[in-house]
Amino acid sequence: MIFVARSAKPQILKKNESGWLADLKTAANPLAKEKAAKKYAHREIRESLVAMFHGKCAYCESYVKHVGYPNIEHFRPRNGTRGNAALPFPWDNLLLSSTVCNGPQYKSDKFPNQAEGGPLLNPCADNPDDHLEFHYDPVAKIAAVLYKTTRGKLTEEIIGLNRLDLKIYRSKHVRRIAALAKLAGSYSEAADLLSEATKSDADYSRFAILFISG
């Protein structure tokens, strides 16, 4: 997880957000409400999120666009919770995520409050480095997300940042980056590839930064 600066609100939201919200409030039945709420899934909104997150999941940093349809994730539950208002449309509540991170086994509509150790980390509002530690064990060859704070622990657990399949795939990728780091001092191409791996549009870029930050 890395910090991502939020881009400007898409024009479609600037133009229609208030009207969509009015339609949602006046919907006559649950089916009409769901139809009104789902206007957040407009193509222009999805494309803006894909561009902002470089096609990566906001939580786990895996590329998702080339293997499926990225989820438009509501950081705070879009249908409201514990008396809070529904939030299907606000731009600052929308993220891009994989279907697994946002699936029923993990984030879904979970949103623990402060008394429960929350809220979860928002990569567009929080600096993940303040709450999480990104660690590569060169002996075990495991790339793991550790926590520094209660919010970091809760985020790692609820989103599943160390779930087995993700950790295996991520560790293989980071192992290759570790090999590049060893060669970077002798081969300019290895140095260039290592530099590319640290950029925000590269998958698991936060782990790549480990090898240039010391």
Side-chain angles (χ1 to χ4, degrees), residues 69-206:
Y69 294 100
N71 275 16
I72 296 179
E73 144 75 344
H74 292 82
F75 181 64
R76 293 178 180 272
R78 70 180 178 95
N79 293 322
T81 181
R82 297 170 182 158
N84 295 322
L87 296 168
F89 309 124
W91 178 235
D92 61 4
N93 194 45
L94 302 182
L95 304 172
L96 195 77
S97 78
S98 69
T99 55
V100 179
C101 286
N102 194 34
Q105 187 175 352
Y106 296 104
K107 166 70 164 58
S108 188
D109 61 355
K110 301 178 184 70
F111 198 77
N113 60 32
Q114 190 172 8
E116 297 167 320
L120 300 177
L121 300 181
N122 182 341
C124 288
D126 299 299
N127 182 356
D129 285 355
D130 292 339
H131 303 273
L132 300 171
E133 180 180 349
F134 301 87
H135 177 74
Y136 178 68
D137 184 334
V139 177
K141 296 180 173 56
I142 298 296
V145 179
L146 310 180
Y147 58 84
K148 300 177 181 177
T149 66
T150 300
R151 290 180 65 201
K153 182 177 187 291
L154 205 63
T155 299
E156 182 273 312
E157 291 175 346
I158 287 179
I159 295 173
L161 293 178
N162 286 310
R163 59 184 183 268
L164 184 60
D165 54 349
L166 172 61
K167 188 159 63 173
I168 289 173
Y169 181 82
R170 181 178 65 208
S171 296
K172 288 180 179 179
H173 179 85
V174 176
R175 182 181 178 184
R176 291 191 288 269
I177 294 173
L180 286 174
K182 290 181 179 179
L183 296 171
S186 303
Y187 297 96
S188 60
E189 186 172 358
D192 290 343
L193 290 172
L194 178 61
S195 178
E196 289 177 9
T198 66
K199 294 180 179 178
S200 57
D201 61 350
D203 46 351
Y204 315 120
S205 60
R206 184 58 189 84

Side-chain angles (χ1 to χ4, degrees), residues 51-62:
M52 183 169 73
F53 289 101
H54 304 289
K56 300 193 301 182
C57 174
Y59 297 125
C60 75
E61 275 204 277
S62 298

